[in-house]
Every structure is written in C-alpha cells, then in structure tokens.
Amino acid sequence: MLVAGGEKMTHVDTNVITGIVATLSQPDVEYVHGVTLPSLAAMFTRLYMQHHGVTEKHLAMVAAKNHANALKNPYAHLQKAVTIKEIMNSVMIADPLRLYHCCPISDGAAAVVLCPADVAKKYSDAPVRIAGFGQATDTHAVHEREDPTVLKAVQLASKQAFEMAGLRPSDIDVAELHDAFAILEIAQSEDAGFFRKGEGAKALEEGKTALDGELPINPSGGLKARGHPIGATGVAQIIELAWQLRGEAKERQVSGAKRAYCCNFGGFGNNVVTHILERMD
C-alpha cells in the first residue's frame, strides 16, 4: 500500500496547561469523582516511579528530547528548546506531572493515500507498505486492571502487528509513540516489546531513543512537541514515518530507516492501534 500525505500543526498564541482536556475517563467510576486523563496519568506515573525506578529527571529527559526533535520539524506546534532544569521547575499540573510533561492540544490535519501495493508505483516513486497492524482494547476503568502499570492493549496490538508483518521489535529502525504524557513514551516502549519492563528509562539514559540512537523514538517531536491534534494524531504519526522511510525527513532523518512502528493510544490505553511500515525497495 502507498502511504503519502502531509500535516500542519497550527501555532496558537496561548499557554497550554494540560495535554488532554477531554473527559475520556470512565464516567461512572472515574470522572464522576473528578478523575480525568491528567490525573490518571499522574497516578500511573507515580506507580511507575515506585515499581520501576522512574524519576522526575527521566520524565524531563523525554520532554527535552522531543522538544529538541521538534526544532527540526517545520510542522511542529512547539518549536522551543527546553532544559531539564526548566522542565523540572515548570508549574505542577497533577503531581508528579508538570507542564512540560504534558502535551499541548493542537490544531491540525493529516491525510494518507492508500492503494494496492501492486499499483503503488503509479502514484509514487517511493511507496511505503503497511506491513502489519493491530488493534486491542483494555478494561475501561484503570483501577480494575490486574496491573495498572501494564498497558495490556499496547502489548496485544503490538503482538498482532509484529505477527502480521513477520517481524520482531528488534527489526524496527524508528518509532512514533503516543506521548500525551512523558511517562507514556517510556511505558509504551516497554509494552510494545522494544525494552524489557522497567528498562525503558535506562534505554533513555543510554541515548538509545535519541535521534542518533539504536531506536529513535518520536523524531517528529511526538505529541509532546509536534502537537496533539486529537483525530489527526495517528495519521500524523504514519506520515512522519513515511517521510522517514523515504529519506525525506531532512534534519531529523533517521539514517538508513527501513522499518517503522507507531502506536496510537485512545483514552488511557483503553483502545490502541499499532502499525508497522516498511520501505518498498
């Protein structure tokens, strides 16, 4: 299949306080008590800190990395470099999440063109193939999950996509993850199978997820800095990866990228869709 398209994230003259304002928590047992996505993310983050040794500095490192990547993306919403110190001293949103740990709600659009693989070269000199995809759901109320720190839908959807593609996580060269909150990049990188549970923060420390690392994550800047235009977010991820696989990502190009993975995350992991793309040589 051919993947093509473009995106434009609009710069808005306002300070965005939180990443997601939509009330996508369970209406009867969560939202009725004031539990929104930022508060769920905060509690999830606290659990990750307790169970897996994630620190506030790790969260800041995710944000700083993605802001740095966004500086190389002309379509990014937040084209602003931020330091670890600035992030760790930004205003508290939902303890322990601060302003720079949360993505902005953005305004934008994204589109792809799909066609059968055998005619793709009629439309593009560099078509990109959808090698695999997966979709899974999890228990809607987060507190009812067997282990709240496990994103089961990410695990299941990723397993489906890798099996369909006949690939393993180690075959992936670049990834776009749904970092609505900084902790989610770390958690998704583990539950997708790229790192063992509890080792995502270590991989971040070692530079494995940097633009020049073993597995660059969110070269676009991610939701954190490219922006989160809600309905367009998942397609924007695919477009970024299509550009990467075509060698068209310019300053943020991941060298030699042939296969890519993306994870689009609904609610707080309630509904997850994953895709694996590959270059058609």
Side-chain angles (χ1 to χ4, degrees), residues 34-88:
V35 180
T36 58
L37 290 188
S39 58
L40 283 174
M43 289 186 281
F44 180 85
T45 302
R46 185 62 70 190
L47 282 173
Y48 239 80
M49 288 177 162
Q50 293 173 355
H51 293 182
H52 300 301
V54 171
T55 66
E56 283 196 47
K57 186 174 182 180
H58 289 131
L59 303 179
M61 290 172 68
V62 171
K65 171 181 69 70
N66 292 347
H67 272 265
N69 291 349
L71 286 172
K72 299 176 174 64
N73 184 357
Y75 297 98
H77 182 162
L78 300 179
Q79 294 184 357
K80 175 184 177 181
V82 289
T83 66
I84 298 292
K85 184 177 180 180
E86 286 175 321
I87 296 166
M88 295 182 71

Side-chain angles (χ1 to χ4, degrees), residues 2 16 21 40 43 63 80 93 118 128 130 149 153 155 175 253:
L2 170 71
V16 181
V21 295
L40 283 174
M43 289 186 281
K80 175 184 177 181
I93 300 300
D118 58 357
V128 171
I130 300 174
T149 67
Q155 293 180 340
Q253 180 64 50

Side-chain angles (χ1 to χ4, degrees), residues 25-38:
S25 50
Q26 214 286 339
D28 297 323
V29 298
E30 290 177 338
Y31 184 60
V32 70
H33 298 294
V35 180
T36 58
L37 290 188

Side-chain angles (χ1 to χ4, degrees), residues 156-194:
L156 294 173
S158 298
K159 185 173 184 289
Q160 291 172 17
F162 281 113
E163 287 181 352
M164 182 181 291
L167 298 171
R168 298 172 296 177
S170 59
D171 296 317
I172 299 299
D173 301 308
V174 58
E176 284 281 315
L177 303 184
H178 196 281
D179 60 326
F181 304 97
I183 189 63
L184 290 179
E185 179 175 305
I186 294 172
Q188 288 171 24
S189 72
E190 296 170 355
D191 286 327
F194 297 117

